[in-house]
Amino acid sequence: MKFAVLDFETTGSGHADEIIQVGLVIIDQFQIVDRYTSLVNPGTGIPSSITTLTGITDDMVKDAPSLDQVMSDMFPLLFDCVLVGHHVPFDLSFLQRGLTKTGYPPFSGRVLDTMDMLRILFPSISSLQLSMVAGLFGLDHERPHQADSDAEVTALIWIICMERLLRLPLLTVQRLNHIFESGATDLGWFIDEIRMFKESETSVDVDAHRYFRQFTLNVNDWGEEDDIRDGDDAGHLLGSTFTEFHQGLKEALKQKFEVFEERESQEQMIREVEQSLRTDQHLMIEAGTGTGKSLGYLIPSLYYGIKHDKKVIVSTHTINLQEQLRERDIPLLKEIFPVNFKAAVLKGRSHYLCLRKFENKLTTRDYEHGKEDPITAAQMVVWLSETEHGDEEELHFGNKGAQFWYTVASDTDSCLNRMCPWFKKCFYHRARNDANTADVVITNHSLLFTDMKAENRLLPAYKHLVIDEAHHFEEVASKHLGIELHSAAFYNTMQWLYKDNRSGQLPMLRFRLQKNDDHPERAAAWCESIDTLFPKIVNIKEDWERLSESLYELVSSKSDPSQSENSQYVLRMKPETLPSNWNELLIMEDNIYLGANDLLRTLDKLLSEIKDMQDVFEVQGLVTDLNGTIKELYNHRDALHFFMKMADEGYVYWMEAGTYSKARSLQLLSVPTDVSPLLQQHFFETKDSIILTSATLSVNKSFQYSADQLGLHIPQDEEAGKVKTVQLPSPFNYREQALVVIPRDFPTIKGASGDPVFINALIQSLCDVALVTKGRMLILCTSNRMLKQIYAGMKDFLKPHGITVLGQGVDSGNRSKLTRMFQDNKMCVLLGTSSFWEGVDIPGDALSCLAIIRLPFQPPNHPLVEAKCENIKKRNENPFMKFSVPQAVIRFKQGFGRLVRRASDKGIVIIYDTRVIDTYYGKHFLYSLPGPKIEHMTTEQMLPRIQDWMGEVLP
């Protein structure tokens, strides 16, 4: 089979644009056998943006061959080839236009895309950008965005894809072939060809792979693992004291690493955590960047857990940190620990694949999104032959992949448990089993609260808990202990039940019942009952559409999205100030509530009857899935009712909505105003010891704010009391590594009228600084609106200087993608809002300057902030100083922490908000920083000072 790998550079992507360069590589039998490349005279000017991207100028193409000449050279090379491209629709459209324009027939052969093949064959690949893929495979890609170089790299990637496809187990290829219905598409035809070739060459090798129900898997049955150690030996091998054990561990680390430096702050953390576990104390410990926090709590937790045969739970805020502990810290500890241990990772159930649902989806070919879903299904079939965890974090989906995952994710309500044919292979039950037999279980805050709501049935029993990223603990508690209703979720649940006469769980059940000839009367009665449900579902759906549209109208007419951080409509609902039409809305909700009750009663009765005979009718899976959907509908009904009635005074109620998807984006939120009593009841009063750690727990060197949020009382005598606080010294020399600059004469924002003055001065100053630092700048904003204004001004100004400007939500919404683009580009400025204030790690030279535009106060009119402040006022305390300032300080410290990530990092932080020096509360922000050099000066003096600090000369 011959392949023609094609790449064009063009003057743009529109219909009227022209080709300026062509690269063509011919592959035959896994070998590159021919190449053709040429510049093309487009007969028109090349836009400057294209010259910046490709390096191709008007001068370079002035004497190049015409399109006519190039097409006559290319046409014979394409004969009898399969056309391949990286995002091939783009190149194909230009090829067809070029051929037609020069009098040749259009290309009529097969067309394949490397992007589809990469997604299927390398399901964990995180970026399909050509340069990223080339780097991943170790391929040289010297001149990105030049057609000959791009075509060469694409050809090498295509060869890697073909080799990978041929190495897949035969059964996996047969599965892929079934997904794509051989011949229905060019991709289906190609996989069919590979299948036929493999069937002629190989047979299913039962010893080389593990197979189950016509799938290739990478796991055995769970629960069959051997014990990892002899219990009697473990205590002896750990030494007689913790000090002795810790010393042995340090010796092992010294042998493992050529350069091993003891970090005093990490040593202190290890001692403090061990003491807390041993003496049953709660500990709040602040450990800045570079402390080595993860090992600081994992080492004593593992020691304590093994020595005393007690399980320790470690909880993180982000899945990223969970993965980091699994991939980086645990393997290191396994190498140096004197005894074997087991650490398990347990996530929320929806992170795991339900194999039964997935099998059913493939069998019934239930693909909602024509091209996308089969590719996602194929990706997952290949992934199943590799994964040990069945965890969605390992997959990188395309556009509709997340929606596909939602339909095959594990969930409680549709689980058959031991009745499921997949039970002993099930990824969720495997993770639960691993957690039950582990010394340390790594989970996340969300699952801690889900477990709490499920009466502790999810996590194994525990008395010792480490909470990392603890500054988020109270916020996650509010979210999980509250009640949310997403408009789209309600609508989708109704669609799942009944979309039309052929689609949905009820029509599918009806179809299956009808097919059974053994009990025709019983089946006919049930089918009749199902038929009565369809109009009821349609009515509820229509009522919900009317109500959600009315609520959307309300939220969109009474709120300003530019005032919120993520440009959402937000509106708090108070029982005492309800809109005039609220009674009409309550009547609509009543109709939905009564209609749902009627529907659910009939469904419950129907299912309980069918359940007794589900084996006879072979509808076990369908009945289980329907059960899950019914439970979802109960939850939606109750959440809506709770929100609309607003009966509980301990809750704050509000609506959020996007500016695009209209009523489908509506969310109704009911959140407890104060979760500290619940945290006390379920955690701090019932657990023997809880360690709370973060880089940002203190404000003004005090833990009082964090303790208040969690309902903790810090005693006078901390050593003897139940709660102890420790602030560790930073391992970095901030005085030498970080300079904080405050331009004291900078304009302040005074309402909307002050904005243009502030924004113009800001853009000018940021551009001047960016020229001195040659980009390498992260700008932290507090609103999308401001980010977009700054972005537009800086992009135009810095473009002629070769400095790229990237903006969150403008160039991409994906934080890791933007961070990677920033690091890959030597001269770059990155603007970010909310998610960039923490969790972003850009070490080394890529980041030298951090600009904080505004102090990160939460909008005072956000419903939850407003309600918390009202509660503080009721106690005759100052909500601004008690709540708003400390919360902003913690966020500010997180933002500051983006600059210095390693002992060798050096840089500048510019604070453009003069409130840090002009107000009585500003000192709290500066005093909370870990000791950098702080200087304020005029804007004019700023550049020479920055230049001097960086030790660089202005260009």
Side-chain angles (χ1 to χ4, degrees), residues 511-781:
F511 173 71
R512 293 269 192 88
L513 292 171
Q514 264 185 324
K515 271 175 59 178
N516 188 287
D517 298 329
D518 297 340
H519 302 274
E521 288 173 10
R522 181 69 63 92
W526 285 337
C527 286
E528 204 176 304
S529 181
I530 290 170
D531 288 341
T532 66
L533 296 175
F534 296 158
K536 293 178 182 177
I537 293 170
V538 171
N539 284 341
I540 295 171
K541 226 189 289 187
E542 286 172 354
D543 284 344
W544 172 239
E545 279 182 342
R546 273 197 297 276
L547 176 57
S548 59
E549 276 165 21
S550 298
L551 291 170
Y552 181 82
E553 245 171 72
L554 185 62
V555 68
S556 60
S557 65
K558 295 203 171 192
S559 87
D560 177 2
S562 68
Q563 296 303 306
S564 72
E565 197 171 331
N566 49 5
S567 301
Q568 293 261 88
Y569 291 118
V570 179
L571 181 65
R572 183 178 175 190
M573 306 305 298
K574 295 182 181 178
E576 62 273 20
T577 56
L578 290 170
S580 55
N581 67 336
W582 194 255
N583 277 339
E584 292 162 37
L585 303 181
L586 282 173
I587 291 166
M588 287 189 207
E589 188 271 327
D590 254 358
N591 288 340
I592 293 170
Y593 193 82
L594 294 169
N597 283 352
D598 183 24
L599 173 67
L600 288 164
R601 259 197 310 275
T602 314
L603 275 170
D604 283 339
K605 183 172 181 290
L606 178 72
L607 278 195
S608 69
E609 287 175 13
I610 296 175
K611 218 172 257 180
D612 294 337
M613 296 184 72
Q614 58 184 1
D615 296 355
V616 178
F617 285 89
E618 295 180 344
V619 289
Q620 304 94 315
L622 254 178
V623 166
T624 307
D625 290 344
L626 251 171
N627 221 24
T629 309
I630 288 167
K631 283 199 175 164
E632 270 189 30
L633 186 53
Y634 269 112
N635 291 337
H636 296 333
R637 178 203 68 177
D638 294 344
L640 177 60
H641 195 64
F642 188 82
F643 178 86
M644 296 296 289
K645 292 288 182 273
M646 296 184 215
D648 193 325
E649 289 178 6
Y651 280 71
V652 54
Y653 306 89
W654 78 92
M655 297 190 282
E656 287 183 10
T659 49
Y660 295 113
S661 315
K662 304 290 182 188
R664 281 292 163 87
S665 65
L666 181 75
Q667 287 181 64
L668 309 181
L669 298 109
S670 313
V671 171
T673 318
D674 181 8
V675 292
S676 60
L678 289 164
L679 295 180
Q680 278 299 310
Q681 182 189 340
H682 293 279
F683 290 97
F684 298 111
E685 285 171 6
T686 56
K687 305 301 174 195
D688 291 343
S689 101
I690 294 178
I691 288 101
L692 298 128
T693 186
S694 160
T696 52
L697 278 178
S698 72
V699 175
N700 239 353
K701 310 284 187 278
S702 158
F703 286 84
Q704 196 56 55
Y705 168 74
S706 295
D708 288 347
Q709 293 298 99
L710 299 164
L712 284 172
H713 170 66
I714 300 171
Q716 289 291 105
D717 178 7
E718 290 190 20
E719 288 296 334
K722 184 68 180 172
V723 179
K724 185 181 178 186
T725 64
V726 175
Q727 192 171 14
L728 297 175
S730 170
F732 297 145
N733 183 349
Y734 277 100
R735 198 139 185 85
E736 296 294 320
Q737 290 180 257
L739 170 69
V740 175
V741 176
I742 305 151
R744 61 171 173 256
D745 61 345
F746 210 75
T748 54
I749 295 186
K750 293 192 176 77
S753 59
D755 275 358
V757 177
F758 178 81
I759 294 291
N760 292 336
L762 185 62
I763 291 169
Q764 186 59 57
S765 177
L766 287 168
C767 288
D768 291 343
V769 174
L771 291 176
V772 174
T773 60
K774 299 184 176 66
R776 303 186 303 172
M777 178 192 258
L778 174 63
I779 300 170
L780 294 178
C781 304

Side-chain angles (χ1 to χ4, degrees), residues 6 32 47 143 190 195 240 253 338 367 386 624 645 673 756 804 896 899:
L6 179 65
I32 293 175
R143 290 174 292 107
F190 180 59
R195 175 193 62 81
S240 54
L253 277 167
Y367 303 131
E386 303 168 343
T624 307
K645 292 288 182 273
T673 318
T804 309
F896 176 86
L899 183 71

Side-chain angles (χ1 to χ4, degrees), residues 23 25 45 67 87 95 148 188 199 229 304 339 361 674 698 787 793 868 897 907:
V25 177
L67 182 68
H87 186 53
L95 174 67
D148 55 339
E199 284 178 349
R229 61 174 181 267
Y304 183 83
V339 296
K361 202 162 185 73
D674 181 8
S698 72
L787 182 148
K868 281 176 181 288

Side-chain angles (χ1 to χ4, degrees), residues 270 371 438 472-473 545 561 647 713 951:
I270 289 169
K371 179 180 184 284
H472 282 294
F473 194 59
E545 279 182 342
H713 170 66

